[in-house]
Amino acid sequence: METLGAFIVEVGRCLANTVLSLFATLKNFQKNIQTLREELQKLICRENDITEDIDIAKIEGKHPPGQVKEWLKMVDKIKQEVEEIEQKARLLLEADPLDASIDQGCFLDSNMRQKYQLSKSAAKKCDEVKQLIKESCDLPPMEDRKLSDIRVEHIPAPSLVGQKAPEKLNQLMELLADKGITRIAVYGMGGSGKTTLVKTLNNRLESSASEFFDMVIWVPVSNDLDMKKVQSRVAERLNLALNAEESTERRAGKLHRVLKSGKRFLLILDDVWEKIDLDIVGIPQGDDQANCKIILTTRSLGVCREMMTDKEIRMELLNEEEAWNLFAQNAGNVVESEDINPLAREIARECGGLPLAIETMGKSMRDKTMIQLWQNALWQLKHSEPHYGSFDKVYLRLKLSYNSLPSKIFKWCFLSCSLYPENFLIKTRELIYCWMAEGLIGERQTLEESFNDGIAKLEYLKDSCMLEQGEGIGTVKMHSVLREVAIWISSNEKETGFFSSSLQGMLEKLQTSFRRVSFMNKSITSLPTRLLGASNLTVLFLQCNPLNKIPDGFFREVRVLKFLNLSSTQITSLPSSLLHLRELHTLLLRDCRSLENLPPLGGLYKLQVLDLCGTRIRELPKDMGKLIHLRDLNLSRTHHLEIIMEGSISGLSSLEVLDMSFSAYKWDVKRNVEGAAFDELLSLRQLSVLHIRLDTVDCVALDYAGPWFGRLKEYTIRIGTRSCDTNLPTQHDEKRVILRGVDLLKRGLEELLCSASALDLVSCGGMSSLSDIVARKSSCGLPNLKSLTISNCGCITSLLIGEQNLRSTLTNLEHLTLSRLDNLATMVDGIVRRGCLGNLKTIKVVGCGRLKKLISFALLRLVQNIEEIKVSDCRRMKQLIAENYYETLPKLKTIELRDMETLRTVCSREMEGSALERIEVSNCPRLGKLPFTACDALTIKQIRGDLNWWNSLRWRNDADKISLQQRFQATED
C-alpha cells in the first residue's frame, strides 16, 4: 500500500508540474511571440552586416566562404518559419483580442491548445535565433576569389599560313616573356590573318600559360565597341559577378581591384577599331599594369599609337608560292587538272596574297571541274564584279575598313586611288593635286601647307592599312583586292561618282552621275568628237594611252572639269575646246614627248598646277602671265624651250613652285635682252621652291639676290656648262647647289653657299683646299651644309688646312664624297679645331691617287661620329686609319675597300671597343691582316671578300680565325 501511495503522490506531483508548465506557457504566449520578434530583428541586423561585408569583399576581388553561405541559407529559412508563427498568432489574437481565457483562469478555452503550441514553438524558435546570432560572431573571413580552373580557353582556329607567321608567333612569345613590354599590337589589312595568329597564340599558351600568366582572357571587341560587353567578358573569366544595372565606372572599379590583385593576366583584345579607354573598362595601367599584359589586333596603326602600344607587329601578305599552296589546299585536287591549273594559279595571284580572299576563292571553286566556271571566276575577279556569291563576303569584310574612315572626305580620298591601274605606283604629289582640285583638301595659305594636309591623309590611310608605301620614293600603292573593293563600292554607291573602265562602250557607259572617270592605260588611240553624258565630270584620267590627237570639241561638254591628266600620250597639240575649261585647277601634260605647241592658256584663270615636264614645247604662250592663280609650274626637261616672253614669269604672282631643271631656256641677268630675264624670278614674292640651271654666276651675284634666296625653302641651282646635266640624289638635297667649272673664289657665291644643305663641286678651281672657302668670313663656315661632293678638282691638295681654320667649320656636315682628286695628298694638314666635321657620318673616297692614308691622327680626333667608310681605287693608299691609343672610332659600323693594290692595313692595332658590323674587301691583295680578335665576333655580322684573300690572312692565333670564320662570306669572282 505504501508503494501504491508513493506512486500516486509522484503522479500527482508530475501532473501538477505539467499543469503549471502548461499554464506558464499559455500565460507567456504574447511575451514569447514578442521576444521572438525582437531576437529576429537582431538576427536580421547581423544578416545585413554580413551581406554588406560580402558586397565590399566582392569589390575587393574576394568571395564568402562556404560557412557564410550556409549561415545565410539558415537565416532565410528561420525567417520564413518565424513569419509562419507570427501569422498564426495574429489570427488567434484577432479571434480573442483580450486573451481573457488565461487571465480569468479559464483553462477550457477552445483556442487554448493552439495558443499553447504556438507559445511553445515561439520559445523554441527564439533559442534557435539566438544560436544563429551567436554563430555569426564566429564566421570565417572573406576569401580571395578563386579564379577559373581553366587558365586558357581553347579557341578553334585555322592553321597558320605563310613562312613568316610562325616567326611572328615566336616573336609574340618572346615579347610576352619581356617584362619591359606590357602592350603589344598585331595590325594589318582585314583578312591578313591577325585573329588567326593571336588565336594560335592563345591555344599555344594552354600548355605554357603557367610560365607566364595565371589566366589568359580572350575578349572579342568588333567595330561596334560596347564597354559593358567588354567588361562582362572579362568579369566572366574572373568569376566576378557584375550587375547589369551598375554604372560602367562602378563595374570598372570591381574589375580593376581583381586585375591588380597580384595575379598575372594576359588580355587579348581582338578586332579593335578605335581607342579603348582602359580606365573606363577597369584594366590597370602604369605601375598597376605590371602583372597585366595586353595584346590587341587592329587594322589601324593609328589605334596602336592611341593605345600607346610598346611593340607593333605587322601581318605580311603571302608570297606567290604561299598563296598558291593555300588556294590549292582550299580548292582541292581539281587545281592539278592540266586545263584548270593555269586559271587557278591566275585566280590565286589576283587575290594579292590576302589569306581571307585566297581561302574564300579556293572554297568557292572547290572541286568544280567545268573550265567555263574557272574562266568566269577569273573574269569577274579582274573586272571587280563578284556576283558569284561567296566572294561578296570578302568585300563586305573589307568594306568595314572603308566604313570606319572618319569622314566622307577620307572615303573619297581612298576611292580616288582606284582610278589608277592595279599594282600601279601612284605619285603622291599627283594624287594630292587631284585631291586639291576636288576640294578634298581645304584651301591653305601655301602649297606646303596643303601638301602637309595631303600627306597627313595619306599617312592615315596607310596607318589604316588601306594604302601601302610604294617601292619608289614619293609613291603609294593600293592592294589589288582593296582596289576591287573600292570599285565595287563605287558601283554600288552611285553618289561617289567614281568610274574606271576601258574606252569600249564609253559613250554608253558615261552618265551624268559620273564625276571622276579613269581611262588610264587602256590602249586608247582615238577619242569621240564630244564627251557626251558627262556634264558633271570633275576628274578625267587619259594618261598613258597612245593618243595622237584630241578632237577640237572633245571638252566642250565638260565645263566643270577640274583635274585633267593627259601625261604620256602622243598628242602633238591641245584642242581649242580646252579653253572652255574655266574651272580647271590642274593640267598634267608630263612626258607628252610629241607636244610642241600650246594654245593660249590665259583664259584658264583658275589654273593652279601646270606640268609640262618632258614635252617638246619651244615657247610658252604669250598670255602665260595672265595665270595669276598658278602656284606650281613644271618646265623640267623641256630641252627645246627657248622662248619665254617678257612678263610671262613675273605675271605669275601666286607662283610658289618653279621647276626648270634641265630646261634649255637661258636666263640672263640683263633686262635689255629679248624674253624673260632672271630678275623676273626675283619679283615672285610667293616663290619657295626653285629648280633651275644658270650658265654663269652673274645671276646669283645680283646685289638684291640675298633676301630672295632667304625666301626659298627648297632649291636646286646648277651653275656651269650644259654638260653638268646629272641628277644624282644626295643625302640632303632640299637646298642643293651644283657648281661645275666655276671659280669658287669669285664674288657672289657667298649667300648661295651659306644657305646650301648639299653642295656638289665639279671641276671647279680657285682653291687648293676646302679651307679657302669655308675659312672665309663671308662663308660663316658653311653651317647649313650636310652633304658635300667634290670631284675632278685637280687644284685641291688637301681637304682642310689647320692654320686657315681658326674657328669651327663644317660643323653639321654628315656626308662627304671625294672623287677623282688627282692631287689630294692629305685630308687634314695641321691641327684643325675640334667641332669641325664633328657630325660626319659617312666618308666615300674614289680615285684619289696620291692619298696614302685616309684618316690621319689629326682627322681621327675630329670624326668620332663616323659610321661608314668606303674607299676605292686609291692606288697609293697604304693605311686606312692611323694608330692612336687615345682616340678610336666608336660608332664605325661599315668599311668597304676596293681596288687598292698597295693597301697593307686597316689599322696597325686591334680596334678595341669597335661597333663594326660589316667589312667588305675586294682586290686589295696586300691587305694581309684584319684588326679583329675573337672578341669582335660578337659585334661583326659580316666579312665579305675573295676566298683566296681570306685564306691568306695572318692571325694572332687560331682562335681569332675560328671565331670570325662563321662571319665570312665569299664573294664571286
Side-chain angles (χ1 to χ4, degrees):
M1 288 295 292
E2 292 179 1
T3 303
L4 179 61
F7 174 76
I8 292 171
V9 171
E10 185 65 28
V11 170
R13 185 183 298 115
C14 291
L15 182 60
N17 290 337
T18 301
V19 172
L20 290 172
S21 175
L22 174 63
F23 178 81
T25 302
L26 286 170
K27 185 175 180 64
N28 293 328
F29 170 67
Q30 288 192 5
K31 182 180 180 181
N32 287 345
I33 295 298
Q34 183 62 31
T35 303
L36 178 60
R37 286 196 189 103
E38 293 172 355
E39 293 299 322
L40 182 64
Q41 285 302 315
K42 295 178 183 179
L43 179 63
I44 290 173
C45 287
R46 286 296 298 144
E47 179 192 30
N48 290 339
D49 290 342
I50 291 172
T51 302
E52 185 176 352
D53 289 343
I54 291 173
D55 290 339
I56 294 174
K58 286 182 177 179
I59 293 174
E60 295 175 347
K62 299 181 180 181
H63 70 108
Q67 297 96 312
V68 175
K69 294 179 181 178
E70 189 63 32
W71 184 86
L72 291 172
K73 289 179 181 178
M74 293 173 65
V75 171
D76 287 338
K77 180 182 177 184
I78 210 167
K79 284 195 295 185
Q80 292 178 2
E81 293 171 349
V82 170
E83 176 63 29
E84 292 175 2
I85 292 173
E86 288 186 328
Q87 180 66 24
K88 291 178 180 178
R90 279 194 297 271
L91 292 174
L92 287 173
L93 289 173
E94 288 172 0
D96 188 5
L98 298 177
D99 199 17
S101 58
I102 298 178
D103 293 339
Q104 298 172 7
C106 182
F107 295 98
L108 299 176
D109 185 271
S110 60
N111 293 331
M112 181 178 62
R113 184 175 182 181
Q114 292 181 17
K115 291 178 180 179
Y116 169 76
Q117 290 175 342
L118 275 177
S119 181
K120 185 176 181 180
S121 295
K124 181 180 180 182
K125 197 59 62 179
C126 189
D127 291 338
E128 293 179 13
V129 171
K130 290 179 179 178
Q131 180 62 30
L132 283 175
I133 294 173
K134 181 180 179 182
E135 290 178 0
S136 70
C137 298
D138 299 323
L139 290 174
M142 299 296 145
E143 298 176 344
D144 289 335
R145 171 167 297 279
K146 183 179 180 182
L147 296 176
S148 171
D149 292 333
I150 304 175
R151 293 180 182 271
V152 181
E153 289 182 331
H154 183 85
I155 303 174
S159 300
L160 291 176
V161 294
Q163 298 175 357
K164 294 184 178 180
E167 297 177 11
K168 295 185 184 298
L169 181 61
N170 292 332
Q171 186 179 358
L172 281 174
M173 294 293 289
E174 292 173 1
L175 292 173
L176 291 179
D178 189 337
K179 293 182 179 180
I181 302 292
T182 56
R183 298 185 195 179
I184 307 163
V186 178
Y187 77 102
M189 274 181 63
S192 59
K194 304 181 295 293
T195 298
T196 299
L197 178 65
V198 292
K199 281 183 177 179
T200 305
L201 172 73
N202 177 85
N203 297 340
R204 174 180 282 195
L205 290 173
E206 281 187 281
S207 59
S208 59
S210 58
E211 300 177 20
F212 303 105
F213 306 103
D214 296 297
M215 176 175 286
V216 178
I217 304 173
W218 177 277
V219 183
V221 179
S222 81
N223 62 326
D224 185 17
L225 178 61
D226 186 327
M227 289 295 192
K228 283 199 169 184
K229 284 184 179 180
V230 173
Q231 289 177 324
S232 296
R233 173 57 182 162
V234 177
E236 179 186 343
R237 288 286 286 131
L238 296 173
N239 281 341
L240 179 63
L242 292 181
N243 189 339
E245 303 302 322
E246 288 181 314
S247 67
T248 304
E249 292 76 14
R250 185 172 178 82
R251 291 156 61 97
K254 294 179 180 180
L255 288 173
H256 189 273
R257 288 180 178 88
V258 178
L259 291 173
K260 73 168 187 176
S261 62
K263 303 290 185 181
R264 300 168 301 165
F265 297 99
L266 171 63
L267 273 71
I268 301 178
L269 305 173
D270 184 42
D271 200 18
V272 179
W273 287 78
E274 60 185 281
K275 177 187 176 182
I276 297 177
D277 192 321
L278 300 180
D279 287 328
I280 292 178
V281 177
I283 299 173
Q285 299 191 71
D287 296 337
D288 292 336
Q289 198 182 345
N291 294 315
C292 185
K293 290 201 175 191
I294 296 172
I295 292 179
L296 63 92
T297 69
T298 179
R299 299 185 185 192
S300 171
L301 184 58
V303 169
C304 304
R305 294 193 182 105
E306 286 189 282
M307 295 194 65
M308 296 189 294
T309 51
D310 301 314
K311 183 68 177 180
E312 298 81 34
I313 299 175
R314 177 162 186 156
M315 291 302 296
E316 307 292 341
L317 300 177
L318 305 183
N319 61 36
E320 187 169 334
E321 181 181 358
E322 293 168 342
W324 168 248
N325 291 336
L326 180 61
F327 182 85
Q329 175 186 335
N330 284 276
N333 294 331
V334 67
V335 300
E336 301 302 329
S337 167
E338 184 177 351
D339 294 335
I340 290 176
N341 184 267
L343 295 169
R345 288 186 178 274
E346 185 64 20
I347 288 175
R349 279 191 290 270
E350 283 292 322
C351 293
L354 188 65
L356 173 65
I358 296 166
E359 291 177 353
T360 303
M361 270 311 298
K363 290 174 182 177
S364 71
M365 302 304 295
R366 188 171 183 85
D367 296 333
K368 291 184 178 180
T369 56
M370 294 180 63
I371 192 170
Q372 294 88 343
L373 297 178
W374 288 87
Q375 291 170 336
N376 182 58
L378 178 59
W379 186 91
Q380 292 193 25
L381 259 184
K382 286 188 171 182
H383 292 80
S384 308
E385 298 182 13
H387 301 306
Y388 41 85
S390 58
F391 207 62
D392 279 339
K393 298 177 182 178
V394 176
Y395 282 22
L396 289 170
R397 283 272 300 275
L398 294 176
K399 189 174 182 285
L400 290 175
S401 296
Y402 171 81
N403 293 337
S404 72
L405 291 174
S407 68
K408 184 179 289 187
I409 286 179
F410 276 94
K411 291 177 180 178
W412 285 358
C413 286
F414 166 72
L415 293 178
S416 66
C417 297
S418 67
L419 296 175
Y420 292 89
E422 184 175 331
N423 299 319
F424 189 80
L425 292 180
I426 306 170
K427 294 178 181 177
T428 57
R429 190 174 189 86
E430 179 181 311
L431 185 60
I432 290 173
Y433 274 143
C434 183
W435 293 351
M436 289 172 61
E438 279 274 83
L440 301 179
I441 295 177
E443 287 293 332
R444 296 295 194 270
Q445 183 177 355
T446 66
L447 271 181
E448 182 182 14
E449 291 168 347
S450 296
F451 264 90
N452 290 343
D453 189 5
I455 293 298
K457 285 181 169 59
L458 281 171
E459 289 302 308
Y460 187 92
L461 292 173
K462 287 195 287 185
D463 288 349
S464 301
C465 297
M466 302 190 74
L467 289 180
E468 303 172 34
Q469 181 62 48
E471 287 81 7
I473 298 174
T475 63
V476 293
K477 62 181 180 180
M478 189 178 224
H479 188 273
S480 58
V481 175
L482 278 176
R483 179 178 180 271
E484 292 165 6
V485 171
I487 294 175
W488 177 70
I489 290 171
S490 299
S491 65
N492 286 282
E493 299 180 6
K494 299 296 185 182
E495 68 276 8
T496 65
F498 288 90
F499 179 75
S500 180
S501 183
S502 64
L503 188 63
Q504 186 177 3
M506 178 178 177
L507 296 177
E508 291 77 16
K509 288 184 178 180
L510 283 185
Q511 304 169 12
T512 55
S513 61
F514 293 157
R515 294 184 57 199
R516 308 160 179 96
V517 174
S518 174
F519 298 110
M520 176 183 178
N521 199 18
K522 298 297 182 182
S523 301
I524 299 172
T525 57
S526 62
L527 294 172
T529 303
R530 289 193 178 186
L531 195 58
L532 299 175
S535 57
N536 294 319
L537 197 64
T538 59
V539 174
L540 178 60
F541 284 12
L542 283 170
Q543 66 266 39
C544 303
N545 285 300
L547 270 175
N548 52 33
K549 184 178 182 181
I550 301 176
D552 282 342
F554 182 75
F555 296 114
R556 198 175 298 276
E557 309 296 329
V558 288
R559 296 175 181 256
V560 297
L561 194 67
K562 296 180 178 179
F563 183 92
L564 175 61
N565 196 338
L566 291 167
S567 300
S568 299
T569 58
Q570 298 175 14
I571 58 174
T572 58
S573 63
L574 291 169
S576 59
S577 59
L578 180 75
L579 303 181
H580 292 280
L581 305 180
R582 301 297 177 128
E583 300 295 320
L584 195 63
H585 175 284
T586 300
L587 176 59
L588 304 182
L589 298 164
R590 188 181 190 88
D591 290 325
C592 291
R593 303 183 189 280
S594 301
L595 182 62
E596 297 184 358
N597 301 306
L598 295 175
L601 298 177
L604 304 178
Y605 60 89
K606 288 191 177 181
L607 194 66
Q608 294 191 30
V609 179
L610 178 59
D611 190 344
L612 295 166
C613 170
T615 60
R616 293 178 62 88
I617 59 170
R618 297 183 178 277
E619 64 178 301
L620 291 183
K622 296 179 180 179
D623 62 348
M624 188 78 177
K626 295 181 180 180
L627 300 177
I628 59 174
H629 295 293
L630 193 68
R631 303 170 78 184
D632 187 337
L633 176 59
N634 192 338
L635 296 172
S636 63
R637 292 191 287 111
T638 49
H639 301 303
H640 302 274
L641 179 61
E642 296 178 351
I643 301 174
I644 300 178
M645 297 301 294
E646 182 179 351
S648 296
I649 299 299
S650 59
L652 305 177
S653 57
S654 298
L655 198 64
E656 298 177 46
V657 177
L658 175 61
D659 189 348
M660 294 193 68
S661 50
F662 313 121
S663 174
Y665 187 74
K666 294 183 178 182
W667 292 96
D668 197 308
V669 69
K670 298 178 182 179
R671 286 297 304 257
N672 57 359
V673 298
E674 292 186 9
F678 186 78
D679 57 356
E680 289 200 28
L681 295 178
L682 306 183
S683 68
L684 300 176
R685 300 296 179 182
Q686 304 300 321
L687 194 66
S688 62
V689 178
L690 175 66
H691 303 284
I692 197 170
R693 179 177 57 190
L694 306 172
D695 289 336
T696 68
V697 180
D698 295 336
C699 290
V700 295
L702 294 173
D703 292 337
Y704 42 86
W708 178 74
F709 278 119
R711 290 197 298 268
L712 296 180
K713 296 182 179 180
E714 177 185 330
Y715 60 73
T716 302
I717 297 178
R718 293 172 169 82
I719 301 177
T721 59
R722 301 274 158 168
S723 59
C724 67
D725 283 354
T726 57
N727 195 29
L728 298 176
T730 65
Q731 295 284 350
H732 298 277
D733 57 0
E734 62 271 11
K735 291 185 176 181
R736 186 179 181 188
V737 175
I738 303 170
L739 304 178
R740 186 183 186 96
V742 172
D743 183 348
L744 295 172
L745 299 183
K746 187 173 181 179
R747 180 183 174 275
L749 288 173
E750 293 86 351
E751 185 71 23
L752 191 61
L753 296 178
C754 281
S755 61
S757 61
L759 177 60
D760 294 17
L761 305 178
V762 183
S763 302
C764 292
M767 62 174 183
S768 60
S769 78
L770 193 61
S771 295
D772 293 337
I773 298 176
V774 298
R776 294 166 68 183
K777 183 177 181 180
S778 58
S779 72
C780 304
L782 303 187
N784 296 304
L785 197 62
K786 293 183 178 181
S787 178
L788 173 62
T789 299
I790 306 176
S791 59
N792 295 298
C793 295
C795 57
I796 294 182
T797 58
S798 61
L799 186 67
L800 295 173
I801 299 176
E803 61 186 25
Q804 291 182 263
N805 287 70
L806 301 179
R807 56 192 175 88
S808 294
T809 57
L810 300 172
T811 52
N812 290 304
L813 189 67
E814 296 179 8
H815 307 280
L816 174 64
T817 299
L818 306 175
S819 176
R820 307 300 169 190
L821 304 183
D822 295 335
N823 292 305
L824 180 67
T826 180
M827 295 287 287
V828 174
D829 185 359
I831 302 300
V832 176
R833 185 172 179 176
R834 279 190 185 270
C836 180
L837 303 177
N839 283 313
L840 195 64
K841 295 179 180 179
T842 69
I843 296 179
K844 182 178 180 181
V845 180
V846 179
C848 296
R850 296 187 61 190
L851 196 61
K852 296 181 180 180
K853 186 182 294 182
L854 179 66
I855 299 181
S856 62
F857 297 147
L859 183 58
L860 184 63
R861 59 190 288 273
L862 302 176
V863 293
Q864 293 296 291
N865 289 308
I866 198 76
E867 297 176 4
E868 181 179 273
I869 295 175
K870 295 182 179 180
V871 185
S872 62
D873 193 23
C874 293
R875 58 181 181 273
R876 294 188 185 180
M877 182 80 68
K878 294 183 178 180
Q879 184 175 4
L880 190 69
I881 303 170
E883 179 182 352
N884 189 327
Y885 288 97
Y886 302 101
E887 303 283 1
T888 61
L889 297 176
K891 298 182 180 180
L892 183 61
K893 295 180 179 180
T894 300
I895 296 176
E896 289 186 12
L897 306 171
R898 301 176 186 277
D899 302 321
M900 292 185 287
E901 295 186 359
T902 60
L903 185 66
R904 297 180 180 273
T905 180
V906 173
C907 183
S908 59
R909 67 183 180 92
E910 284 75 20
M911 299 178 67
E912 298 177 359
S914 171
L916 195 68
E917 297 178 356
R918 177 178 176 272
I919 182 170
E920 181 170 351
V921 179
S922 175
N923 192 25
C924 299
R926 297 190 182 184
L927 182 60
K929 185 178 180 181
L930 295 179
F932 310 133
T933 65
C935 297
D936 297 307
L938 298 175
T939 58
I940 292 180
K941 298 178 180 178
Q942 186 184 69
I943 301 175
R944 287 174 55 84
D946 179 72
L947 182 59
N948 292 331
W949 165 78
W950 173 260
N951 290 331
S952 67
L953 286 176
R954 303 184 305 276
W955 298 93
R956 186 179 61 176
N957 52 56
D958 291 340
D960 291 345
K961 181 176 182 179
I962 293 171
S963 298
L964 293 166
Q965 177 71 51
Q966 58 183 338
R967 308 299 187 199
F968 177 70
Q969 180 179 341
T971 55
E972 297 180 1
D973 295 337

